[in-house]
Amino acid sequence: MSLNVDSVSKKFGRFAALNGASFVAPQGGFVSLLGPSGSGKTTLLRILGGLEFADTGSVRFADLNWLDMPARTRNAGFVFQQYALFRHMTVADNIGFGLKVRPRARRPSKSEIRDRVKSLLDLVQLPGLEDRYPSQLSGGQRQRVALARALAIEPRMLLLDEPFGALDAKVRKELRADLRRIHDHAGVTTVFVTHDQEEAFAVADLVAVMRDGRIEQYGAPTDVRRNPKTAFVSEFLAA
Amino acid sequence: MTKKLVRPTEDPLWLKALLGAITVGFIGILLLLPLVLVFKEAFAEGVGPFFEAIVEPDTLASVRLSLIAAAIAVPLNSLFGVAAAWCIAKFDFPGKTFLVTLIDLPFSVSPVVSGLIYVLVFGMQGWFGKYLVGHDIHILFALPGIVLATIFVTFPFVARELIPLMQDQGRDEEEAAATLGASGLGTFLRVTLPNIKWGLLYSVLLCNARALGEFGAVSVVSGHIRGVTNTMPLHVELLYNNYDYVGAFTVSALLAMLALITLALKSLLEWRYADELAAVHRL
């Protein structure tokens, strides 16, 4: 029941964005992909979400051949750096979207969706904002809504692409703590992309330091910090 | 002595007055005055002749023909425009720039030339001329030719409006919808279409106005058969050339009214849905 990423490679034209990236995360684990821009961390995340296709390599998750499944059947909640909220929908419609588009047999009733939206808004600490539009929210609030929307589908996997990158330092810290709390509450396997090492070490159980499309070092935050395996990792952490 | 502080974006009064005068002058002389004159001339001999000119059978036939041509051309161009904008804005493929250039072609070619192209293709001496005559299919000097010419001329309106809009909105929301389990069609109907609906509405209205008013290309393929293949603009020319000024200006007034109704409709919708519009644009 673990997430098993095995030598995934991906080229954009002649540029190798991923060059045999591999890691294994336990079910319910929290992994940070950390690295400078261009190291392939976002590409790897998008491949896990089904938004990009790997050229070679495989991913197995909960005994599923993950890469053969289209994005919409993976049931992986994705949180984007620029929120990607549906701008013409209210907060409630945004969060309920993933439930409303389910086939009739698996679709909850309207009142069930309403209750679920309400409890998710409580979870992300935005009670009572159901009828607002995204444009009426601050950046931090938008990202909380995006998180609630991703959680509404009861995801098997939660994928976050620099979710706090556009927010100020104080809001980042609050959201980071909330994300960890929500993760522990839902127990969903989470992969989190960031270029901010403090954030990566603070929030994750496992950190993968990436460089040139490969994983340079992978381990618990304390291990990685104490014993950087390569010059690149120690330089990156010192920066 | 205190010096009056001027904001960096504030222009001197004389410049503002000059720009204002130029704008108002231009709009007044080039837009409003002709519009007023059209109505004045249409009612020059009173209300009676105005309505008599409207119910004249050939005039009614031209109104009907124009409406039918627009009713076929506008939906087809809307469909095409959405499809083309969707392809160009949301996918990458070779030849994309060339396709965008092609879409602009009807704007850069004189309408008369586009009409002549249809004559070359479908005319008696044209590529398909013999075949069409042999099978008793009438394209030139009939409704199909008029519709084709109208489609060609009004073809870029919807696509041109939607391409930058959709490119600007990016693919993020569609990607989010996919990860939340929405199908391709579901994503289009629930996410893409609502986001472009104002641009779509605006461009469809413009396209419709142009379709009703098209003269050049339609003139070439129509054959000017009174009461049969004369659209409203062509009928205006015919009446004018026959010194029937009340008739000519009456049909002109009808065309102008269609345009005014279009604009009023657009303003009404914008006013009615102001909140929603603001929500879509501000993000």
Side-chain angles (χ1 to χ4, degrees), chain B:
Chain B
M1 271 282 281
T2 54
K3 198 169 177 293
K4 192 171 167 279
L5 292 173
V6 180
R7 262 187 280 160
T9 54
E10 183 97 2
D11 290 314
L13 188 66
W14 66 266
L15 184 62
K16 283 194 278 189
L18 181 69
L19 289 174
I22 290 175
T23 311
V24 172
F26 248 76
I27 291 177
I29 295 170
L30 293 176
L31 291 176
L32 287 179
L33 198 63
L35 194 62
V36 172
L37 282 179
V38 164
F39 283 95
K40 186 178 161 284
E41 288 295 319
F43 288 104
E45 290 170 27
V47 181
F50 174 80
F51 284 105
E52 274 165 37
I54 289 182
V55 296
E56 205 267 322
D58 288 351
T59 300
L60 283 180
S62 75
V63 173
R64 196 181 307 127
L65 182 62
S66 278
L67 291 178
I68 291 172
I72 300 171
V74 173
L76 286 176
N77 272 343
S78 308
L79 196 70
F80 163 78
V82 172
W86 166 266
C87 276
I88 287 164
K90 310 276 172 178
F91 302 100
D92 294 312
F93 53 89
K96 193 157 128 168
T97 332
F98 182 62
L99 184 61
V100 175
T101 313
L102 269 188
I103 289 173
D104 278 340
L105 192 64
F107 275 169
S108 44
V109 171
S110 161
V112 177
V113 175
S114 29
L116 281 173
I117 292 167
Y118 285 108
V119 174
L120 277 179
V121 175
F122 298 116
M124 284 292 274
Q125 270 73 46
W127 295 345
F128 304 117
K130 289 228 168 60
Y131 175 87
L132 294 172
V133 169
H135 291 76
D136 200 28
I137 300 169
H138 302 283
I139 292 185
L140 278 189
F141 315 130
L143 181 66
I146 293 170
V147 170
L148 281 174
T150 307
I151 287 179
F152 183 86
V153 171
T154 58
F155 174 82
F157 279 93
V158 176
R160 264 283 127 205
E161 172 82 17
L162 293 185
I163 290 168
L165 182 67
M166 287 171 92
Q167 276 174 336
D168 190 42
Q169 289 177 347
R171 306 171 200 182
D172 283 7
E173 290 181 44
E174 279 81 7
E175 287 184 343
T179 63
L180 293 167
S183 62
L185 183 66
T187 302
F188 179 74
L189 293 179
R190 286 164 182 273
V191 177
T192 310
L193 204 54
N195 272 339
I196 60 166
K197 75 177 173 198
W198 290 103
L200 181 61
L201 179 76
Y202 181 65
S203 57
V204 166
L205 288 176
L206 267 185
C207 182
N208 186 49
R210 187 77 171 84
L212 288 172
E214 173 52 24
F215 180 84
V218 171
S219 174
V220 176
V221 298
S222 131
H224 301 268
I225 308 165
R226 209 181 161 131
V228 183
T229 64
N230 251 3
T231 60
M232 286 171 80
L234 301 183
H235 197 55
V236 171
E237 188 203 26
L238 185 138
L239 292 170
Y240 190 82
N241 287 344
N242 291 341
Y243 307 105
D244 182 355
Y245 295 128
V246 170
F249 280 105
T250 300
V251 182
S252 301
L254 284 180
L255 268 173
M257 273 196 284
L258 285 172
L260 290 177
I261 291 170
T262 306
L263 284 180
L265 207 66
K266 177 178 162 276
S267 307
L268 183 75
L269 287 167
E270 278 175 354
W271 171 75
R272 168 77 181 71
Y273 294 101
D275 292 353
E276 204 184 311
L277 255 172
V280 175
H281 279 292
R282 243 182 292 144
L283 198 69

Side-chain angles (χ1 to χ4, degrees), chain A residues 50 53 61 64-75 156:
Chain A
F53 304 110
F61 177 61
L64 294 164
N65 211 342
W66 195 242
L67 296 187
D68 289 347
M69 299 162 65
R72 64 192 182 90
T73 62
R74 289 189 195 187
N75 205 31
R156 280 192 273 233

Side-chain angles (χ1 to χ4, degrees), chain A residues 173-184:
Chain A
K173 275 199 174 146
E174 284 169 22
L175 268 170
R176 185 204 293 169
D178 282 344
L179 174 63
R180 184 68 218 197
R181 175 176 60 79
I182 289 164
H183 167 267
D184 294 345

Side-chain angles (χ1 to χ4, degrees), chain A residues 46 49 51 71-72 76 78 80 82 84-89 97-98 100-101 133-135 142 149-150 153, chain B residues 168-169 172-184 186 190-191 194-195 276 278-280 282-283:
Chain A
R46 288 172 61 83
L51 301 175
R72 64 192 182 90
F78 205 106
F80 298 80
Q82 296 300 332
L85 292 173
F86 306 124
R87 63 189 98 187
H88 63 286
M89 292 183 201
F97 183 87
K100 281 181 203 156
V101 296
Y133 281 94
S135 59
R142 287 181 199 178
R149 179 178 70 175
I153 57 172
Chain B
D168 190 42
Q169 289 177 347
D172 283 7
E173 290 181 44
E174 279 81 7
E175 287 184 343
T179 63
L180 293 167
S183 62
R190 286 164 182 273
V191 177
N195 272 339
E276 204 184 311
V280 175
R282 243 182 292 144
L283 198 69

Side-chain angles (χ1 to χ4, degrees), chain A residues 85-95 117 121 126-138 141-142 145, chain B residues 275 279 282-283:
Chain A
L85 292 173
F86 306 124
R87 63 189 98 187
H88 63 286
M89 292 183 201
T90 61
V91 165
D93 288 338
N94 262 284
I95 297 174
V117 167
L121 277 174
L126 292 176
L129 292 193
E130 277 93 339
D131 297 328
R132 298 275 193 94
Y133 281 94
S135 59
Q136 298 168 319
L137 303 177
S138 70
Q141 288 175 322
R142 287 181 199 178
V145 172
Chain B
D275 292 353
R282 243 182 292 144
L283 198 69

Side-chain angles (χ1 to χ4, degrees), chain A residues 165-215:
Chain A
L167 305 172
D168 64 62
K170 182 170 169 287
V171 178
R172 286 174 86 113
K173 275 199 174 146
E174 284 169 22
L175 268 170
R176 185 204 293 169
D178 282 344
L179 174 63
R180 184 68 218 197
R181 175 176 60 79
I182 289 164
H183 167 267
D184 294 345
H185 170 84
V188 56
T189 307
T190 301
V191 183
F192 178 89
V193 161
T194 181
H195 64 266
D196 178 342
Q197 47 157 312
E198 191 212 333
E199 194 165 84
F201 287 119
V203 77
D205 307 325
L206 290 157
V207 175
V209 183
M210 293 189 69
R211 176 201 190 186
D212 296 338
R214 259 190 293 260
I215 287 166

